[in-house]
Amino acid sequence: MTRAPKRTNRPEAVKIDLLDAAARILTERGIQAFTLDLVARDAGVSKGGLLHHFANKKALLDGLFMREMEAFRDDILASMQKDPEPNGRAARAYIGMDHMENGEKGTPALLRHLLAVMLLEPQLCSEWTRHYWETIRSTGLFDNMTPSLLLSCLAADGLAIWDILGADIIDKKNREQLHALIEKLTNFSNTES
């Protein structure tokens, strides 16, 4: 069953539909069921149409990963603009302090599946890791990195990995205390020399 409406000569709309279908299939069925035929069918596109935009499965997964990284970068930059305190701003944006305060759930399921793909494909792991750090560096996160800011980012990454893996092992009270401590580390950098 197709989910996308018919499109006439709108290549960007087709590409978006293909990436949306790829994300749905990856999160609902996992990488083992992820095929180009299934993605094309779900997007309402012929396999040839899919191959016009994405030459192979790797290119489609790359496109999905790059889209998620762009959204992540845009979230970081938007969060930085909203933060009135310049010291530690990039670190707070990176670790998502504004999301933590609003009680939003951690990393979406799509990232869990993209992480699984990375673990299965060493070439993708190398390429995507390099792109991830290039994306993060472009936000200015490392421009004035202090040990406490780095520690806050690493701690938040550790919590995010647990969220990605679905390890619900920290109760709400402890999670709130960890978030408070991580935020304190982003403010502590004011006193570091």
Side-chain angles (χ1 to χ4, degrees):
M1 179 167 124
T2 62
R3 297 176 191 230
K6 293 273 186 202
R7 297 161 300 283
T8 55
N9 204 16
R10 294 183 42 211
E12 282 307 307
V14 172
K15 193 172 183 177
I16 289 168
D17 287 346
L18 288 165
L19 291 172
D20 289 346
R24 263 191 310 278
I25 290 165
L26 194 59
T27 56
E28 292 172 5
R29 299 183 185 198
I31 191 62
Q32 295 80 5
F34 188 89
T35 66
L36 295 181
D37 289 325
L38 189 56
V39 171
R41 187 170 44 248
D42 188 79
V45 176
S46 69
K47 187 171 180 183
L50 182 150
L51 293 172
H52 174 74
H53 293 281
F54 301 101
N56 52 43
K57 187 175 178 179
K58 180 190 178 302
L60 180 57
L61 289 167
D62 281 343
L64 188 57
F65 180 79
M66 298 306 165
R67 183 174 80 167
E68 292 306 303
M69 287 299 95
E70 286 176 24
F72 184 47
R73 181 199 62 229
D74 292 348
D75 285 348
I76 289 172
L77 294 173
S79 181
M80 286 172 66
Q81 287 181 341
K82 292 186 287 185
D83 189 337
E85 172 57 46
N87 191 26
R89 176 184 295 157
R92 283 188 298 280
Y94 173 77
I95 63 180
M97 287 310 302
D98 56 339
H99 298 304
M100 290 178 185
E101 291 168 1
N102 296 329
E104 292 180 26
K105 182 94 173 115
T107 310
L110 178 56
L111 291 181
R112 177 183 311 147
H113 294 283
L114 289 171
L115 177 61
V117 171
M118 288 175 68
L119 294 174
L120 294 171
E121 299 289 336
Q123 181 186 0
L124 281 180
C125 185
S126 175
E127 291 173 17
W128 288 1
T129 300
R130 185 174 53 254
H131 182 75
Y132 176 84
W133 286 113
E134 288 170 5
T135 300
I136 297 307
R137 281 188 187 99
S138 75
T139 68
L141 175 66
F142 294 105
D143 291 352
N144 296 304
M145 184 60 71
T146 64
S148 64
L149 292 176
L150 181 57
L151 183 59
S152 67
C153 292
L154 292 172
D157 281 345
L159 284 174
I161 291 291
W162 283 6
D163 290 341
I164 289 169
L165 298 174
D168 191 18
I169 59 176
I170 301 174
D171 63 30
K172 184 178 180 192
K173 181 181 176 189
N174 280 322
R175 184 174 281 272
E176 288 171 356
Q177 290 174 341
L178 284 172
H179 290 172
L181 181 57
I182 290 169
E183 183 173 21
K184 193 179 287 186
L185 284 171
T186 68
N187 295 319
F188 177 70
S189 64
N190 287 327
T191 62
E192 289 180 300
S193 52

